[in-house]
Every structure is written in C-alpha cells, then in structure tokens.
Amino acid sequence: MRQLWELFRVLWAVGCLPVGALLLVVVVLCGFSLPFFLGFTNSADPAIRWLFWALVFYFVGGVCLFWRVNQRYGEKLRRLVIGFQTSNFQPQIEVFAKINDAYLGIDGSARMLLVYPVKGAEHFFQFDEINSWRIVPVGKHNHRLEVLTSNLDVPVFSIVLKPAEVLSTEARLNTLLGT
C-alpha cells in the first residue's frame, strides 16, 4: 500500500508542473484580479474563476492529503513500536524516517538493533551482525542512514533522516555503535 501512495505522490508532484503553468496563465490572462477570483466582480467568464479554484485546490488538496497520510503512517508506526517495546525491547536510540515509513531502534543493554520494515515486517540484528553504518547526503536537504550488515538476507538497511536529526543521530550512533 505504501508503494501505491508513493506512486500517487510522484504523479501528483509531476502533475504540479503543468497545473502550475496553467494556473499562472489563468492568473496572468485575468490581470491578477483578486476581486474577480473571489467572486466580487463579473468582468470575465465565470468558468475561468472555477478553473482557477480547481487548480488551487489541486495544490492545497494534494498537500493536505499527503500530510494526513504521512501522519497516519506515523501513528501506525508508533503503535507498532510500542508493541515491540512490550516484548522486552527497550531502545536507547530511536530513529523514525522522514516520511514515517521506517524505524530503527537500538537497545544497548540487549545489544540488539531493530529495523522496520524488512520485507514488510520487523527484523532484529545483534550488534555483531553490524559491519558498519554511515550517514550520506542525498540531494540538498536529505540524508540517508545506511546500516551495513553481515546478514545475507538484509545486507543493507537504509532510512531517510529528518534534516534536524542528522547530527544528533550521528552522535548517538557513534556513542553506542562506534565508527
């Protein structure tokens, strides 16, 4: 389901380019007339006003929809993490992905690392299975945490970090896992 939402998000973002260009054309051809778009004057065809509002709602509706879906996935992921914590997994470090679709938790006392999702489910690693980890920049503002393991089923687990969490996550991982 998450892949379907990601495809939908990409299609919406790609659709923003022609919709934005059309919105700009509509606004320019109407002379940037705010009273017209608000419905105070009837100087032009009302279909143009409806086109303007349809294009505006395309942008606003998409942003609201994807924000709500992200929040819902975040709530679902947090409920899942609480379920892991009740089964004797007490993480000292928790990292939630930027888009609320992945989780990494490290329990230093049990020397275990929990990652979610791996093939749609959670996966526990022992510290001796972790070969290395690194945080790499991806694009202008994004960073990806990659955990390299000796497990042949899951050689790499990666998670996109929120920009504000990059330095603190790196420091906490250095403390617990080393370099």
Side-chain angles (χ1 to χ4, degrees):
M1 184 65 182
R2 184 64 182 186
Q3 287 81 15
L4 183 65
W5 274 111
E6 289 303 316
L7 176 65
F8 190 57
R9 183 187 309 236
V10 168
L11 291 175
W12 176 80
V14 169
C16 281
L17 296 173
V19 168
L22 184 59
L23 183 61
L24 183 63
V25 167
V26 167
V27 169
V28 168
L29 290 179
C30 291
F32 299 99
S33 175
L34 187 60
F36 169 73
F37 292 120
L38 294 177
F40 297 138
T41 63
N42 290 329
S43 61
D45 188 14
I48 294 174
R49 180 182 306 126
W50 289 107
L51 177 63
F52 170 79
W53 285 111
L55 297 174
V56 167
F57 284 131
Y58 177 83
F59 286 114
V60 174
V63 168
C64 291
L65 174 71
F66 292 122
W67 178 80
R68 182 63 192 133
V69 167
N70 191 28
Q71 295 299 339
R72 188 152 183 224
Y73 274 105
E75 293 166 5
K76 182 179 173 184
L77 187 59
R78 282 174 178 60
R79 283 194 306 268
L80 215 68
V81 168
I82 290 171
F84 298 144
Q85 290 174 351
T86 58
S87 64
N88 295 330
F89 180 75
Q90 302 301 323
Q92 286 80 31
I93 297 176
E94 290 185 312
V95 180
F96 289 90
K98 182 178 182 180
I99 306 176
N100 286 330
D101 62 346
Y103 170 79
L104 178 127
I106 300 175
D107 186 355
S109 60
R111 302 196 48 78
M112 292 177 67
L113 182 117
L114 166 69
V115 295
Y116 177 85
V118 173
K119 298 178 184 171
E122 68 276 357
H123 191 81
F124 288 93
F125 292 104
Q126 297 295 327
F127 277 7
D128 57 356
E129 290 182 274
I130 307 298
N131 290 338
S132 65
W133 61 272
R134 64 185 179 178
I135 296 178
V136 281
V138 180
K140 264 185 163 178
H141 302 288
N142 292 325
H143 290 78
R144 178 176 290 133
L145 168 64
E146 294 178 345
V147 179
L148 306 171
T149 69
S150 59
N151 188 330
L152 295 178
D153 291 333
V154 188
V156 177
F157 177 77
S158 65
I159 186 171
V160 178
L161 298 174
K162 298 172 186 164
E165 294 182 353
V166 171
L167 293 176
S168 65
T169 301
E170 186 174 15
R172 292 184 296 166
L173 286 174
N174 253 337
T175 303
L176 211 56
L177 295 177
T179 52

